[in-house]
C-alpha cells in the first residue's frame, strides 16, 4: 500500500494560484490511479480531479474545469494539482488519494489517503 502526504496549501486571495503536491512512499506509485478530493467545513468530501496511471487521461469536476490541472511525475512518485483563478468557494482541505478505478469520482473507491492540506481563498 502507498503512503501519501500533501503539501502546498495556504492562504491566497481570489484570482490567485497555488500548486499542491502529494508525495508517495512505498511501492508501485505508477500502478495507482490518483485523485484529488476536497472537503469544506460542514460539507461532504467531493471529487476534484483524477489521473490515470501513466497520466494519459485526466478528469475534472465541472466546478474546477479550466482552472485546475492535475498531473503526475512517476519518476518522482509525486502527484500535483495546479490551481489557478481561485475562488472563495475553493476553500477546503484538499486530499490526495490512490487506488481508484480509472476516472473514478467516488471517494470510497480509493484505498489510500493523505492527511490533507488546507487551502483558504479570501480577500
Amino acid at each position: 500500500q502507498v503512503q501519501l502526504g500533501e503539501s502546498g496549501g495556504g492562504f491566497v486571495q481570489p484570482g490567485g494560484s497555488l500548486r499542491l503536491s502529494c508525495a508517495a512512499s512505498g511501492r508501485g506509485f505508477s500502478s495507482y490511479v490518483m485523485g484529488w478530493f476536497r472537503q469544506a467545513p460542514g460539507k461532504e468530501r467531493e471529487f476534484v480531479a483524477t489521473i490515470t496511471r501513466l497520466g494519459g487521461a485526466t478528469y475534472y469536476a465541472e466546478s474546477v474545469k479550466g482552472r485546475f490541472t492535475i498531473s503526475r511525475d512517476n519518476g518522482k512518485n509525486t502527484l500535483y494539482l495546479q490551481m489557478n483563478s481561485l475562488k472563495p468557494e475553493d476553500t477546503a482541505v484538499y486530499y490526495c488519494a490512490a487506488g481508484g478505478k480509472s476516472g473514478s469520482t467516488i471517494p470510497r473507491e480509493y484505498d489510500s489517503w493523505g492527511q490533507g492540506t488546507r487551502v483558504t481563498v479570501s480577500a
Side-chain angles (χ1 to χ4, degrees), residues 52-88:
T52 52
R53 293 170 180 82
L54 299 182
T58 56
Y59 307 86
Y60 296 92
E62 285 297 323
S63 59
V64 307
K65 197 172 291 184
R67 299 188 298 122
F68 290 11
T69 303
I70 187 173
S71 62
R72 66 191 297 165
D73 185 335
N74 287 344
K76 295 182 178 180
N77 285 3
T78 303
L79 176 74
Y80 302 100
L81 185 68
Q82 178 66 45
M83 305 187 295
N84 299 328
S85 301
L86 282 161
K87 304 175 181 180

Side-chain angles (χ1 to χ4, degrees), residues 33-38 44-51 59-61 95-113:
V33 169
M34 298 295 297
W36 285 100
F37 292 78
R38 66 186 182 186
E44 293 188 353
R45 192 166 299 190
E46 67 172 2
F47 167 75
V48 175
T50 184
I51 187 167
Y59 307 86
Y60 296 92
Y95 299 88
C96 64
K101 300 176 183 178
S102 180
S104 174
T105 66
I106 302 173
R108 67 174 180 270
E109 293 187 353
Y110 289 78
D111 302 316
S112 299
W113 293 82

